[in-house]
Amino acid sequence: MSKFAPHSRAGNNPRATSSTICQKCLCTGHFTYECKSTRPYVSRPSRTAQLESPRLLAKARADGKPSVEVPEEFKNKSGTADRILAAKEKQREEESDERAKKRTKRYVPPPSHSLAC
Protein backbone atom coordinates (compact mmCIF):
# COMPACT_ATOMS: atom_id res chain seq x y z
CA MET A 1 0.00 0.00 0.00
CA SER A 2 1.26 3.46 -0.86
CA LYS A 3 1.94 6.05 1.83
CA PHE A 4 -0.05 8.61 -0.24
CA ALA A 5 -3.16 6.48 -0.50
CA PRO A 6 -6.11 7.52 1.65
CA HIS A 7 -6.38 5.60 4.86
CA SER A 8 -9.56 4.99 6.73
CA ARG A 9 -8.96 5.55 10.41
CA ALA A 10 -11.71 5.71 12.96
CA GLY A 11 -9.82 8.29 15.07
CA ASN A 12 -9.71 10.93 12.32
CA ASN A 13 -13.44 11.28 11.89
CA PRO A 14 -15.15 11.67 15.27
CA ARG A 15 -18.91 11.32 15.26
CA ALA A 16 -21.27 13.51 17.19
CA THR A 17 -23.36 11.64 19.70
CA SER A 18 -26.77 12.59 20.99
CA SER A 19 -25.10 14.18 24.02
CA THR A 20 -22.82 16.40 21.90
CA ILE A 21 -23.91 20.06 22.28
CA CYS A 22 -23.28 22.63 19.57
CA GLN A 23 -21.74 25.82 20.99
CA LYS A 24 -23.42 27.99 18.34
CA CYS A 25 -27.10 26.99 18.43
CA LEU A 26 -27.03 25.11 21.76
CA CYS A 27 -28.75 22.08 20.19
CA THR A 28 -27.58 18.50 20.55
CA GLY A 29 -26.40 16.00 17.96
CA HIS A 30 -23.82 17.95 15.95
CA PHE A 31 -20.57 19.89 16.28
CA THR A 32 -20.23 23.66 15.90
CA TYR A 33 -18.50 23.44 12.51
CA GLU A 34 -21.43 21.38 11.20
CA CYS A 35 -24.07 23.84 12.41
CA LYS A 36 -26.41 25.35 9.80
CA SER A 37 -28.70 27.32 12.10
CA THR A 38 -28.30 30.84 13.44
CA ARG A 39 -27.18 31.76 16.90
CA PRO A 40 -30.17 32.14 19.26
CA TYR A 41 -30.53 35.20 21.51
CA VAL A 42 -29.85 34.29 25.12
CA SER A 43 -31.16 36.86 27.57
CA ARG A 44 -28.86 37.56 30.48
CA PRO A 45 -29.29 40.01 33.38
CA SER A 46 -27.35 43.26 33.28
CA ARG A 47 -24.53 43.96 35.70
CA THR A 48 -26.73 46.36 37.65
CA ALA A 49 -29.43 43.72 37.99
CA GLN A 50 -26.83 41.25 39.23
CA LEU A 51 -25.57 43.71 41.84
CA GLU A 52 -29.09 44.57 42.98
CA SER A 53 -29.99 40.92 43.46
CA PRO A 54 -30.16 40.21 47.20
CA ARG A 55 -28.99 36.64 46.60
CA LEU A 56 -25.71 37.82 45.05
CA LEU A 57 -25.15 40.51 47.70
CA ALA A 58 -25.71 37.99 50.50
CA LYS A 59 -23.22 35.63 48.89
CA ALA A 60 -20.61 38.40 48.64
CA ARG A 61 -21.12 39.37 52.28
CA ALA A 62 -20.75 35.72 53.34
CA ASP A 63 -17.41 35.57 51.54
CA GLY A 64 -16.18 38.55 53.58
CA LYS A 65 -16.00 40.86 50.60
CA PRO A 66 -17.34 44.40 50.93
CA SER A 67 -20.77 44.83 49.39
CA VAL A 68 -20.97 46.88 46.25
CA GLU A 69 -23.53 49.65 46.48
CA VAL A 70 -25.08 50.89 43.26
CA PRO A 71 -25.18 54.72 43.13
CA GLU A 72 -28.64 56.28 43.11
CA GLU A 73 -28.03 57.95 39.76
CA PHE A 74 -27.74 54.51 38.14
CA LYS A 75 -30.81 53.10 39.89
CA ASN A 76 -33.07 55.80 38.49
CA LYS A 77 -33.35 54.84 34.83
CA SER A 78 -35.35 57.83 33.63
CA GLY A 79 -33.89 61.28 33.42
CA THR A 80 -30.17 60.58 33.49
CA ALA A 81 -29.63 61.73 29.91
CA ASP A 82 -32.00 64.67 30.44
CA ARG A 83 -29.97 65.85 33.44
CA ILE A 84 -26.73 65.62 31.49
CA LEU A 85 -28.18 67.48 28.52
CA ALA A 86 -29.66 70.18 30.76
CA ALA A 87 -26.30 70.72 32.48
CA LYS A 88 -24.50 71.01 29.13
CA GLU A 89 -27.15 73.43 27.81
CA LYS A 90 -26.74 75.60 30.91
CA GLN A 91 -22.97 75.58 30.41
CA ARG A 92 -23.41 76.62 26.76
CA GLU A 93 -25.71 79.49 27.77
CA GLU A 94 -23.17 80.75 30.31
CA GLU A 95 -20.41 80.63 27.71
CA SER A 96 -22.54 82.46 25.16
CA ASP A 97 -23.38 85.14 27.78
CA GLU A 98 -19.66 85.63 28.46
CA ARG A 99 -19.02 85.98 24.72
CA ALA A 100 -21.80 88.55 24.43
CA LYS A 101 -20.27 90.60 27.26
CA LYS A 102 -16.90 90.54 25.54
CA ARG A 103 -18.48 91.78 22.30
CA THR A 104 -19.96 94.87 23.99
CA LYS A 105 -16.57 95.86 25.38
CA ARG A 106 -15.06 96.50 21.96
CA TYR A 107 -12.87 99.53 21.46
CA VAL A 108 -14.67 102.51 20.00
CA PRO A 109 -12.32 105.22 18.73
CA PRO A 110 -13.09 108.80 19.86
CA PRO A 111 -14.67 111.05 17.24
CA SER A 112 -12.12 112.98 15.26
CA HIS A 113 -12.44 116.79 15.26
CA SER A 114 -11.86 118.43 11.99
CA LEU A 115 -11.14 122.13 11.82
CA ALA A 116 -12.91 123.76 8.98
CA CYS A 117 -11.67 127.22 7.93
Side-chain angles (χ1 to χ4, degrees):
M1 189 187 287
S2 170
K3 66 178 184 179
F4 298 108
H7 302 289
S8 61
R9 291 183 185 162
N12 280 347
N13 194 8
R15 296 204 172 202
T17 62
S18 61
S19 63
T20 303
I21 298 176
C22 173
Q23 295 176 354
K24 183 177 178 184
C25 69
L26 305 176
C27 295
T28 57
H30 63 276
F31 292 113
T32 305
Y33 68 90
E34 298 170 340
C35 186
K36 294 180 179 146
S37 62
T38 59
R39 185 178 301 272
Y41 179 77
V42 178
S43 177
R44 295 183 291 172
S46 67
R47 182 67 177 150
T48 305
Q50 290 176 355
L51 291 174
E52 288 176 345
S53 172
R55 177 178 50 90
L56 294 175
L57 285 178
K59 182 180 177 184
R61 288 186 186 132
D63 292 340
K65 298 177 184 175
S67 64
V68 178
E69 296 297 326
V70 179
E72 289 297 322
E73 61 187 17
F74 295 126
K75 288 183 180 179
N76 186 7
K77 293 185 180 189
S78 64
T80 304
D82 293 333
R83 283 194 307 266
I84 293 170
L85 290 173
K88 289 197 178 217
E89 184 63 31
K90 184 178 178 183
Q91 182 183 6
R92 281 191 211 110
E93 287 177 9
E94 290 173 357
E95 289 174 359
S96 66
D97 289 344
E98 290 175 8
R99 284 190 215 130
K101 288 179 184 177
K102 288 180 182 178
R103 287 184 197 143
T104 58
K105 294 182 181 179
R106 289 186 179 161
Y107 174 75
V108 178
S112 62
H113 296 286
S114 61
L115 299 172
C117 297

